[in-house]
Amino acid sequence: LHPLAAIIGARHYDVEISRLLVTVASTLKNHAEQQTTCLTGLLEGLDRGESRALDSTKGKESLGHLLTGKSVEVRRLALRVASATKFTESKEMQAVFSKATADALDNSQTLEARITAIEILASTSGTTLNIVAEQLLDSRQPSTIQLAAIGVLATKRDVDITQVLLSNWDGSTPAVRQAIIDAFFGHVDRLPALLNAIGNGSISPQALSGFQRFQLLEHPDKELRSRAQRLLANAQQLLNPELVEKYQVALENRRDASHGKLIFDINCASCHKVNSQEKLVGPDLSVILTRTDESVLLDILQPNTKITAGYRSYVVIDNSGRLYSGILASETETSITLRSVSTMTKEKGQSEVIEQTLLRKDIDVLQGTEQSLMPENFDKLISPQDVADLLAYIRTSLGPVPSTRITLFDDDFKFLSVLTQGTGQATLERLDTFSGISALRISPPQRYSPSIPGWNYAIRENPGPGEFRYLRFAWKTPDGVGIMLELADQGDWPPANSPVRRYYSGSNTTGWQATAVSSEKPVEWTVVTRDLWKDYGDFTLTGIAPTAMGGIALFDRIELHRSLENTQ
């Protein structure tokens, strides 16, 4: 019903809108939930394009019935429909607005009554609403009242609302500031005012998320895009390795899964699922069971590094100038549906997954992005211990799942301490990586350990749970003559005169026999995937020796896989 009513509203055909109102007021008169669904969809559609007066007599009569119905929610939505169809200019409606103004500003009223009054004011004139909203955005007002006022302002198309939104920016809390920024992004006509505020120092560029910066930096309007590029040139922050290390150290602490659930519910639950949550905006978190905590941590701190297939975000501008964003939930020949998380919340800590269906004929711009909808500033929202507890909760909730892949090294600074032998040096390379923020840097000849704690990985032809067959890694040696990776079996290295469990590329200057991957040394990052069982048969991997020949060698994302399906 919701998308159907939205399509009717977006078409702006008087006869269709009238028929819908008649149906909602009569056929569904004893079904408030269905009435609410239809009116919500109708409003969503009416908001696309220019408002038009409702001419149909039957439509006006039906709207009048809805305005006096029993359900408070239906009356509230009917008021907004009345505004969108220019049915609010009667004396009776003006009396309703006067009472709503008084109730919204009355601190003796309950929060629920005040919020209802604020929502009624969404149907009044912009001037009246702006005067009331400026008072409601005072920092002495409850945050729920401020958020409700911002939510109503965001529905208006008047550019004047930008001045009201910024009337108390300095005194606004982070949640209110976020809602204000989101309101600016509700319509393309508000973006110049946002850039003005950034340009004069009223708003810091850091107040924008990475996704919002993308919307400005890649905006189809050339002049707006050029201004954004000048103002936001230095806004992108690189991930600080010291910050990552601080979070990695916390992973060694004692973890509290119950506290992790609280962190998940506040920060993650609206976008991701653990077990049964539906309508996702983010990927299913069960994938983390095959990855190390360190690599998952990087996804949290730097979400734009890797976008999961199916969760690419899109920006849409319709032909009335309204902005939409979200993942592509579904599409048909005539429409697309975007799924996103609503930030215009009535209660602190609450959020809602919403879907918006747009007709293709109403779309002016449709642009895919490489930006995640996930916030970039999680280090400001959750502490290192919070992340450790969060991962404990997710892993506990998902339960044991047989791993089809295990990561031996990827951004884990603790890996340096397990390579306990060899006259070479092992360090982390920050400037030249294949993935993440660091690679393993080895100076000639080697750094190794035949028995690494926790390593007891069986290599088998038909691997079962906890067993593997394939090795995948990335390596390079820009100034060396060759590069080698050697594998230990139950604490033992292969004999020097046997090529088993050694891979090399370039020139082998070690004097040990080894399996050649390539006669050319990998000057650039090169991914190698090998069938360990086919090459060497059954064995148990317990240690590793990354080896440099004639110059520095770099290794990154070293993994074991059960099947080739997981090596892409």
Side-chain angles (χ1 to χ4, degrees), residues 475-477 480-484 503-510 514-523 526 528 549:
W475 65 6
K476 70 180 291 188
T477 177
V481 298
I483 189 169
M484 178 180 289
Y503 295 110
Y504 79 96
S505 285
S507 299
N508 182 2
T509 60
T510 64
T515 301
V517 174
S518 172
S519 59
E520 301 292 331
K521 69 173 187 177
V523 178
T526 303
V528 177
M549 296 181 285

Side-chain angles (χ1 to χ4, degrees), residues 14-15 17-19 21-22 53-62 87:
D14 192 79
V15 64
I17 295 172
S18 175
R19 286 176 181 171
L21 290 172
V22 170
L54 183 64
D55 293 328
S56 168
T57 301
K58 289 186 177 180
K60 291 178 181 179
E61 290 176 353
S62 297
F87 189 63

Side-chain angles (χ1 to χ4, degrees), residues 232-517:
L232 304 178
N234 299 317
Q236 184 70 32
Q237 291 187 334
L238 298 176
L239 194 57
N240 185 346
E242 294 180 359
L243 175 68
V244 176
E245 187 168 328
K246 182 171 71 173
Y247 276 79
Q248 287 182 334
V249 168
L251 297 177
E252 301 177 0
N253 297 343
R254 183 182 180 87
R255 304 188 191 186
D256 182 352
S258 61
H259 178 249
K261 182 181 185 305
L262 177 63
I263 299 300
F264 181 88
D265 290 343
I266 294 174
N267 297 283
C268 314
S270 59
C271 293
H272 297 279
K273 79 170 183 179
V274 174
N275 295 327
S276 61
Q277 191 173 339
E278 300 298 331
K279 281 195 173 182
L280 301 180
V281 176
D284 186 336
L285 295 180
S286 63
V287 298
I288 78 168
L289 289 178
T290 61
R291 301 173 58 208
T292 65
D293 285 348
E294 288 76 16
S295 63
V296 175
L297 172 62
L298 281 184
D299 287 349
I300 294 174
L301 297 178
Q302 199 172 34
N304 294 321
T305 300
K306 181 171 55 178
I307 306 297
T308 302
Y311 293 92
R312 188 185 188 199
S313 54
Y314 289 81
V315 177
V316 174
I317 303 176
D318 69 13
N319 50 26
S320 68
R322 187 171 180 183
L323 280 155
Y324 305 84
S325 62
I327 66 167
L328 188 63
S330 63
E331 61 177 323
T332 68
E333 293 295 324
T334 58
S335 68
I336 67 169
T337 299
L338 295 179
R339 183 181 299 153
S340 61
V341 177
S342 171
T343 57
M344 301 299 176
T345 54
K346 300 177 184 178
E347 301 290 342
K348 184 177 180 181
Q350 287 187 347
S351 58
E352 178 186 7
V353 174
I354 60 174
E355 291 189 350
Q356 295 172 305
T357 300
L358 297 100
L359 295 178
R360 292 188 185 272
K361 71 178 184 65
D362 293 333
I363 295 175
D364 189 29
V365 175
L366 172 62
Q367 185 175 17
T369 83
E370 296 304 325
Q371 294 288 317
S372 171
L373 292 176
M374 186 171 168
E376 288 183 308
N377 63 337
F378 259 121
D379 60 295
K380 303 294 192 301
L381 302 175
I382 53 179
S383 70
Q385 186 60 49
D386 287 341
V387 172
D389 294 343
L390 172 64
L391 291 173
Y393 163 68
I394 295 173
R395 295 192 187 281
T396 300
S397 299
L398 291 171
V401 175
S403 296
T404 60
R405 176 180 65 185
I406 191 74
T407 302
L408 304 180
F409 168 79
D410 190 16
D411 292 302
D412 183 2
F413 76 99
K414 297 189 299 296
F415 190 73
L416 303 179
S417 64
V418 303
L419 300 178
T420 57
Q421 303 175 41
T423 56
Q425 289 187 331
T427 57
L428 291 185
E429 170 62 48
R430 308 288 193 184
L431 300 178
D432 187 359
T433 67
F434 172 72
S435 69
I437 64 165
S438 61
L440 179 64
R441 185 179 189 270
I442 302 294
S443 64
Q446 283 182 307
R447 197 68 189 170
Y448 58 87
S449 175
S451 300
I452 295 177
W455 282 33
N456 193 42
Y457 303 116
I459 307 302
R460 299 292 184 265
E461 178 181 12
N462 298 302
E467 300 176 338
F468 304 92
R469 176 164 175 168
Y470 301 92
L471 175 68
R472 182 180 186 266
F473 58 90
W475 65 6
K476 70 180 291 188
T477 177
D479 57 355
V481 298
I483 189 169
M484 178 180 289
L485 193 64
E486 187 174 8
L487 308 174
D489 175 17
Q490 300 187 69
D492 294 326
W493 300 114
N497 61 354
S498 172
V500 299
R501 302 197 310 281
R502 290 192 192 96
Y503 295 110
Y504 79 96
S505 285
S507 299
N508 182 2
T509 60
T510 64
W512 307 322
Q513 292 189 32
T515 301
V517 174

Side-chain angles (χ1 to χ4, degrees), residues 107-121:
N107 292 328
S108 67
Q109 296 279 351
T110 65
L111 287 177
E112 183 178 1
R114 295 184 69 190
I115 290 172
T116 299
I118 292 169
E119 292 174 343
I120 289 174
L121 292 175

Side-chain angles (χ1 to χ4, degrees), residues 30-317:
N30 296 321
H31 303 278
E33 184 177 353
Q34 286 90 335
Q35 287 181 316
T36 298
T37 298
C38 290
L39 292 176
T40 301
L42 177 60
L43 280 167
E44 183 181 306
L46 289 172
D47 200 34
R48 301 170 195 160
E50 293 298 324
S51 298
R52 301 178 188 176
L54 183 64
D55 293 328
S56 168
T57 301
K58 289 186 177 180
K60 291 178 181 179
E61 290 176 353
S62 297
L63 186 54
H65 291 315
L66 292 170
L67 287 167
T68 57
K70 295 181 180 180
S71 168
V72 174
E73 180 67 8
V74 171
R75 292 201 304 269
R76 182 183 67 83
L77 293 171
L79 272 169
R80 292 181 58 192
V81 172
S83 176
T85 57
K86 301 183 178 180
F87 189 63
T88 57
E89 299 173 2
S90 65
K91 292 181 179 180
E92 293 79 7
M93 292 299 299
Q94 294 305 312
V96 171
F97 293 144
S98 295
K99 184 178 186 307
T101 299
D103 290 345
L105 296 172
D106 186 354
N107 292 328
S108 67
Q109 296 279 351
T110 65
L111 287 177
E112 183 178 1
R114 295 184 69 190
I115 290 172
T116 299
I118 292 169
E119 292 174 343
I120 289 174
L121 292 175
S123 303
T124 192
S125 68
T127 302
T128 302
L129 176 61
N130 290 351
I131 293 173
V132 176
E134 190 165 349
Q135 298 177 64
L136 296 175
L137 289 180
D138 188 293
S139 56
R140 291 168 292 187
Q141 294 285 357
S143 60
T144 51
I145 295 297
Q146 295 181 61
L147 291 172
I150 295 168
V152 168
L153 285 171
T155 66
K156 311 301 285 187
R157 295 183 181 174
D158 302 338
V159 178
D160 291 344
I161 73 159
T162 59
Q163 298 177 1
V164 182
L165 288 170
L166 293 176
S167 60
N168 190 41
W169 174 263
D170 291 340
S172 299
T173 63
V176 172
R177 285 190 173 193
Q178 179 183 334
I180 290 172
I181 293 294
D182 290 342
F184 271 98
F185 279 88
H187 199 281
V188 67
D189 289 346
R190 300 173 195 157
L191 297 181
L194 175 61
L195 292 178
N196 289 341
I198 294 173
N200 63 32
S202 299
I203 295 179
S204 167
Q206 303 305 329
L208 276 59
S209 69
F211 186 72
Q212 289 167 337
R213 289 197 297 272
F214 172 87
Q215 289 179 265
L216 294 172
L217 293 170
E218 300 297 329
H219 197 277
D221 183 275
K222 183 178 180 180
E223 182 178 351
L224 192 148
R225 183 173 67 247
S226 178
R227 286 191 64 200
Q229 290 170 350
R230 291 195 304 271
L231 292 171
L232 304 178
N234 299 317
Q236 184 70 32
Q237 291 187 334
L238 298 176
L239 194 57
N240 185 346
E242 294 180 359
L243 175 68
V244 176
E245 187 168 328
K246 182 171 71 173
Y247 276 79
Q248 287 182 334
V249 168
L251 297 177
E252 301 177 0
N253 297 343
R254 183 182 180 87
R255 304 188 191 186
D256 182 352
S258 61
H259 178 249
K261 182 181 185 305
L262 177 63
I263 299 300
F264 181 88
D265 290 343
I266 294 174
N267 297 283
C268 314
S270 59
C271 293
H272 297 279
K273 79 170 183 179
V274 174
N275 295 327
S276 61
Q277 191 173 339
E278 300 298 331
K279 281 195 173 182
L280 301 180
V281 176
D284 186 336
L285 295 180
S286 63
V287 298
I288 78 168
L289 289 178
T290 61
R291 301 173 58 208
T292 65
D293 285 348
E294 288 76 16
S295 63
V296 175
L297 172 62
L298 281 184
D299 287 349
I300 294 174
L301 297 178
Q302 199 172 34
N304 294 321
T305 300
K306 181 171 55 178
I307 306 297
T308 302
Y311 293 92
R312 188 185 188 199
S313 54
Y314 289 81
V315 177
V316 174
I317 303 176

